Amino acid sequence: MMDLRRTMLFIPGNNPGMLQNGGVFDADAVILDLEDAVSPQEKDAARLLVAHALKYVDYAGSERVVRINPLDTFGLEDIRAIVPCGPDALLVPKVQCAADIEAAARAVALAERPGQKPVNLIALIETPRGLAEAYAIATADRRVVALALGAEDYTAAIGAQRTPEGSEILTARTLLVNAAAAAGIQAIDTPYTDANDEAGLERDTAFAKHLGFRGKLTINPRQIDIIHRVFNPSAKEIDWARRVVAAIRQAEAEGSGVASLDGKMVDAPIVNRAERILQLARLLGLREEEGQ
Ligand SMILES: CC(=O)SCCNC(=O)CCNC(=O)[C@H](O)C(C)(C)COP(=O)(O)OP(=O)(O)OC[C@H]1O[C@@H](n2cnc3c(N)ncnc32)[C@H](O)[C@@H]1OP(=O)(O)O
Ligand SMILES: O=C([O-])CC(=O)C(=O)O
Ligand SMILES: [Mg+2]
């Protein structure tokens, strides 16, 4: 499903076995990686493997994203080789400013075949300058559908210590969510890099949802169910959303724009939040009784 990006599973672009099996995990998106999962001497081989996977591997319902290299290294070569193979989107790493996106968008337009479905861009924000310019990046081109946070590179660049709790990335997360929201696109959170810490992943994902992220970069298939469970609206949320909509309808019928539900005020922003929950539940085919 195209606009659902609860999980975006990284698959190293130099690993034929993982590329082959990447469609069986039901991730909302797969990210075939040509950048940091691939060493410099393997870049050419990985590009061929990823091009082949896009043509021949069935990634089922997953959006097919390729993480290219930065434009000042192998990025333009990646675009020329990968775009004609028909990915849904490119994840552009180390984006610093609007001009980087404009350059990527120009190269993509040149590489697209006539009649090809336009290739979207997702900007990976993982440098101090990229974060400072996140809104300009998000609005630099219509192809940009999401901003994602890359906290490993970002914390290394600012000289912060990475912790499982993530206090060092709170500001980066909220700035990124705000920039994406201002541009009307999605915010996708940084991966949780300890694939064996399920409780930590669940906590970190719940916090990301609380901050406004719509999904999370994912490094291991075992993380997928946990992340989906967190981002799916719970039965309680769906029930609340239905009662909000019912309350406002009744108030409107009585000529008022404000309702009361369990003693709390219900007005337009609360109704918008409720409608978003119901829309997501419908998209996921969840009914109230099926939520977690
Ligand atoms: C900061 C960054 O830039 S992050 C982005 C770049 N990083 C990556 O792409 C890392 C991707 N992830 C991985 O390589 C691995 O999941 C690791 C290294 C994190 C953990 O490896 P392991 O502990 O061996 O994984 P695990 O034991 O869970 O593997 C189980 C199965 O899932 C497969 N698998 C693991 N990760 C992935 C993946 N990302 N995509 C597809 N298949 C995977 C394994 O091949 C294995 O398959 P098998 O049972 O058929 O042999
Ligand atoms: O894999 C990711 O997107 C995360 C990343 O690059 C980073 O944290 O630097
Ligand atoms: Mg990175």
Side-chain angles (χ1 to χ4, degrees):
M1 259 179 274
M2 262 352 185
D3 284 321
L4 209 48
R5 298 193 180 89
R6 296 166 301 174
T7 48
M8 304 189 76
L9 176 66
F10 272 109
I11 306 180
N14 57 354
N15 188 317
M18 287 192 192
L19 287 170
Q20 187 68 38
N21 292 333
V24 304
F25 303 116
D26 279 337
D28 289 336
V30 290
I31 305 174
L32 316 182
D33 190 12
L34 296 174
E35 198 217 12
D36 281 351
V38 178
S39 64
Q41 62 275 20
E42 288 182 295
K43 295 290 183 195
D44 291 339
R47 200 181 290 121
L48 289 172
L49 280 173
V50 167
H52 187 271
L54 286 171
K55 286 189 199 148
Y56 299 111
V57 177
D58 180 5
Y59 288 104
S62 304
E63 179 180 31
R64 299 168 318 141
V65 182
V66 176
R67 178 161 73 170
I68 60 172
N69 287 282
L71 296 180
D72 56 2
T73 65
F74 310 96
L76 292 173
E77 269 173 84
D78 294 339
I79 288 175
R80 281 195 289 271
I82 295 302
V83 165
C85 303
D88 296 302
L90 301 179
L91 178 63
V92 187
K94 318 270 174 359
V95 177
Q96 300 270 36
C97 57
D100 286 348
I101 288 295
E102 288 160 10
R106 269 197 307 275
V108 167
L110 282 173
E112 278 173 346
R113 287 175 284 112
Q116 179 175 349
K117 181 170 146 284
V119 176
N120 288 327
L121 298 176
I122 298 172
L124 188 54
I125 303 296
E126 51 182 345
T127 66
R129 176 152 182 227
L131 186 61
E133 312 241 353
Y135 175 71
I137 289 167
T139 51
D141 192 277
R142 294 175 53 174
R143 292 181 193 263
V144 182
V145 292
L147 298 181
L149 179 64
E152 302 312 319
D153 275 295
Y154 175 70
T155 49
I158 62 172
Q161 298 240 328
R162 197 75 178 91
T163 66
E165 298 71 37
S167 53
E168 70 285 357
I169 59 168
L170 177 58
T171 301
R173 279 171 150 171
T174 54
L175 285 172
L176 187 125
V177 166
N178 187 70
I185 64 174
Q186 289 177 332
I188 309 297
D189 192 32
T190 195
Y192 192 75
T193 53
D194 183 348
N196 294 324
D197 180 2
E198 297 189 357
L201 171 66
E202 185 168 351
R203 217 173 26 246
D204 193 53
T205 308
F207 188 54
K209 173 177 170 175
H210 171 79
L211 293 177
F213 285 98
R214 293 286 189 271
K216 195 163 175 62
L217 298 172
T218 308
I219 55 153
N220 184 282
R222 286 179 283 117
Q223 297 184 317
I224 291 174
D225 278 351
I226 297 171
I227 298 176
H228 282 179
R229 214 179 320 122
V230 172
F231 278 110
N232 289 353
S234 66
K236 216 169 129 197
E237 284 173 306
I238 297 173
D239 175 58
W240 171 82
R242 288 211 171 125
R243 295 197 310 127
V244 164
V245 170
I248 200 74
R249 287 219 180 106
Q250 187 179 345
E252 279 166 3
E254 290 161 6
S256 164
V258 187
S260 159
L261 181 65
D262 305 333
K264 298 203 189 84
M265 180 187 77
V266 172
D267 65 355
I270 306 213
V271 174
N272 290 345
R273 178 193 300 271
E275 279 172 347
R276 226 192 40 233
I277 290 171
L278 293 177
Q279 195 187 8
L280 181 57
R282 270 196 301 275
L283 190 64
L284 292 165
L286 287 177
R287 289 193 304 276
E288 209 171 303
E289 59 276 16
E290 286 172 346
Q292 304 286 324

